[in-house]
């Protein structure tokens, strides 16, 4: 595995491939972009240029840099040429397992033994994609979120035979691209898709039961957990609220609404052992006096900034 990534190939020039190629080129990497459909290849540079202009207008990049970023992107009609001599290949073609497997089986012989072969699949098993290759230790999931040039998360998915070296190199690569990588095992929906699925499915069930309108369910998410989620994840939320309180509340939901609301046993054990979160200095995380108050402060500062935006928005609506 190369210690430093200099050249990448992005296979698939659609919504995700174009955005991923843009991020790579913005980070100074030579970026080959390949697609089997010529119109997709014809459009991708224009799409990237447009997005870069929007980012420049928003002050996220310097407009003077746009030309340099575009110069690093090479449109390559042949897969063989695109994948030659690159350190990382990121596959972002249509979500069709047979198409993905066929590409990976070709990449196997096209790329050097040190090249990382990453797939951006959102649903398929990385094990199944990797089994189309001979050198499965360098195949990894690299699941980006849309739009790739603004969403920070990249899930680095470790299949059964992915080497630890590949996982670490992919994580370092994602960090070099300015992303926030998380590592997870190969499992349906990885982390983010599965978490979002739980919320989305529950929302549609509530609508189906006639509990509230679509608009009110959307507001309930945006104005409560959605308001806090960018700064505290579910485990920090439980630590801040108290594991005992969550357990009592969710056990009622479990009784009334069914198994999907049942906490796993290890959470009950934590409550039984008195590890209730921030109030006992130990829950899912351990807290010192200092780290506990810094978490509360970070949450409150975030909420104050959002509250200000909300008040401004409300004020604007009231006067319009
Ligand atoms: P898209 O339809 O915009 O682009 C797919 C591209 O793949 C097309 O340009 C198509 O011509 C190309 N393609 C098809 N067969 C090919 C082949 N054999 N060789 C080369 N190119 C080929 O799709 P997308 O939204 O960019 O999704 C791409 C991948 O990213 C999928 O695996 C998808 O699940 C995943 N993903 C999508 C999102 C999203 O929100 N759209 C988010 C995360 C991950």
């Amino acid at each position: 595995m190369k210690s430093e990534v200099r050249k990448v190939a992005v296979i698939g020039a659609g919504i995700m491939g174009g955005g991923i190629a843009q991020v790579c080129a913005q980070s100074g990497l030579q970026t080959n972009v390949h697609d089997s459909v010529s119109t997709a290849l014809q459009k991708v540079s224009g799409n990237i240029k447009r997005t870069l202009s929007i980012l420049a207008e928003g002050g996220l990049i310097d407009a003077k840099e746009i030309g340099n970023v575009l110069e690093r992107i090479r449109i390559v009609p042949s897969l063989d040429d695109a994948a030659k001599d690159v350190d990382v290949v990121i596959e972002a073609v249509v979500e069709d397992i047979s198409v993905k497997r066929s590409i990976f089986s070709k990449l196997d012989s096209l790329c050097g033994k040190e090249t990382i072969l990453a797939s951006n699949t959102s649903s398929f098993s990385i094990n199944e994609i990797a089994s189309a290759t001979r050198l499965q230790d360098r195949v990894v999931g690299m699941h980006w979120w849309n739009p790739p040039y603004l969403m920070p998360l990249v899930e680095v998915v470790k299949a059964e035979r992915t080497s630890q070296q590949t996982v670490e190199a992919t994580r370092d690569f994602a960090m070099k691209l300015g992303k926030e990588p998380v590592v997870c095992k190969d499992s349906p929906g990885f982390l983010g898709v599965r978490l979002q699925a739980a919320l989305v499915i529950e929302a549609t069930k509530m609508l189906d039961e006639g509990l509230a309108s679509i608009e009110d369910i959307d507001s309930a998410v945006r104005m409560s957990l959605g308001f806090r989620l960018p700064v505290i994840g579910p485990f920090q939320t439980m630590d801040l609220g108290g594991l005992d309180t969550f357990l009592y509340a969710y056990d009622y939901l479990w009784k009334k609404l069914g198994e999907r609301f049942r906490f796993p046993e290890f959470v009950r054990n934590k409550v039984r052992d008195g590890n209730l979160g921030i109030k006992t200095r130990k829950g899912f995380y351990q807290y010192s006096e200092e780290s506990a108050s810094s978490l509360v402060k970070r949450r409150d500062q975030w909420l104050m900034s959002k509250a200000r935006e909300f008040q401004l928005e409300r004020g604007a609506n009231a006067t319009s």
Side-chain angles (χ1 to χ4, degrees):
M1 217 66 52
K2 295 256 179 71
S3 54
E4 204 190 340
V5 175
R6 290 179 197 282
K7 201 169 168 189
V8 304
V10 178
I11 312 301
I15 296 171
M16 296 304 289
I20 294 168
Q22 177 189 323
V23 174
C24 294
Q26 278 180 254
S27 299
L29 304 175
Q30 291 302 316
T31 307
N32 292 343
V33 182
H34 165 76
D35 199 290
S36 58
V37 176
S38 59
T39 47
L41 278 183
Q42 281 155 16
K43 282 191 211 150
V44 68
S45 297
N47 292 344
I48 293 176
K49 192 173 175 190
R50 241 185 325 277
T51 312
L52 288 168
S53 302
I54 293 169
L55 296 187
E57 275 167 35
L60 277 178
I61 59 163
D62 184 345
K64 286 192 231 115
E65 272 302 302
I66 294 179
N68 295 336
V69 174
L70 291 170
E71 267 177 30
R72 289 185 207 110
I73 297 174
R74 199 164 70 98
I75 304 300
V76 189
S78 138
L79 176 66
D80 297 30
D81 290 342
K84 204 154 72 190
D85 299 329
V86 298
D87 304 310
V88 179
V89 177
I90 305 170
E91 169 277 308
V93 305
V94 62
E95 190 74 345
D96 178 326
I97 188 70
S98 58
V99 177
K100 288 183 189 288
R101 280 177 57 84
S102 138
I103 288 172
F104 273 78
S105 69
K106 288 181 197 148
L107 290 175
D108 212 19
S109 48
L110 294 175
C111 300
K113 287 190 167 53
E114 296 195 325
T115 307
I116 292 174
L117 306 180
S119 174
N120 183 46
T121 180
S122 23
S123 60
F124 297 131
S125 150
I126 304 300
N127 284 316
E128 199 177 342
I129 293 172
S131 65
T133 71
R134 280 174 295 121
L135 299 168
Q136 296 188 29
D137 62 319
R138 65 205 170 129
V139 179
V140 68
M142 199 178 184
H143 183 236
W144 296 61
W145 284 65
N146 187 28
Y149 44 84
L150 288 174
M151 294 293 277
L153 186 69
V154 170
E155 289 164 291
V156 176
V157 184
K158 188 178 189 314
E160 270 161 30
R161 301 210 184 151
T162 313
S163 70
Q164 194 52 33
Q165 205 187 358
T166 299
V167 170
E168 271 152 33
T170 309
R171 182 166 47 187
D172 290 350
F173 170 53
M175 285 178 79
K176 183 179 174 192
L177 297 176
K179 296 294 162 189
E180 177 90 18
V182 295
V183 175
C184 63
K185 288 186 185 162
D186 190 20
S187 159
F190 311 131
L191 302 181
V193 169
R194 182 165 158 188
L195 287 164
Q196 181 166 280
L199 177 66
V200 166
I201 300 280
E202 207 55 41
T204 55
K205 281 183 178 160
M206 287 172 170
L207 184 67
D208 200 36
E209 288 167 25
L211 294 187
S213 66
I214 291 177
E215 292 79 4
D216 282 355
I217 298 171
D218 266 348
S219 291
V221 175
R222 290 189 302 109
M223 294 297 133
S224 62
L225 53 141
F227 225 65
R228 281 189 315 222
L229 274 179
V231 74
I232 49 169
F235 293 106
Q236 289 166 320
T237 299
M238 286 186 275
D239 274 359
L240 283 163
L243 269 59
D244 49 344
T245 307
F246 272 86
L247 181 65
Y248 305 144
Y250 288 4
D251 270 358
Y252 179 75
L253 298 190
W254 166 32
K255 209 160 38 179
K256 296 289 178 188
L257 297 174
E259 268 310 292
R260 69 185 186 277
F261 288 102
R262 184 181 183 177
F263 264 129
E265 213 46 41
F266 84 94
V267 181
R268 294 172 192 285
N269 293 343
K270 278 186 182 295
V271 173
R272 198 194 51 221
D273 296 344
N275 296 321
L276 307 180
I278 209 163
K279 60 189 169 189
T280 60
R281 296 281 178 263
K282 193 173 171 193
F284 291 103
Y285 294 90
Q286 296 241 33
Y287 301 90
S288 62
E289 185 86 29
E290 207 184 0
S291 67
S293 59
S294 116
L295 178 63
V296 172
K297 190 170 167 197
R298 202 150 48 86
R299 178 196 65 183
D300 290 355
Q301 278 174 342
W302 170 264
L303 289 176
M304 280 192 290
S305 77
K306 291 287 118 191
R308 266 193 294 274
E309 278 175 29
F310 180 63
Q311 278 167 2
L312 286 174
E313 202 181 297
R314 267 293 165 88
N317 286 343
T319 51
S320 64

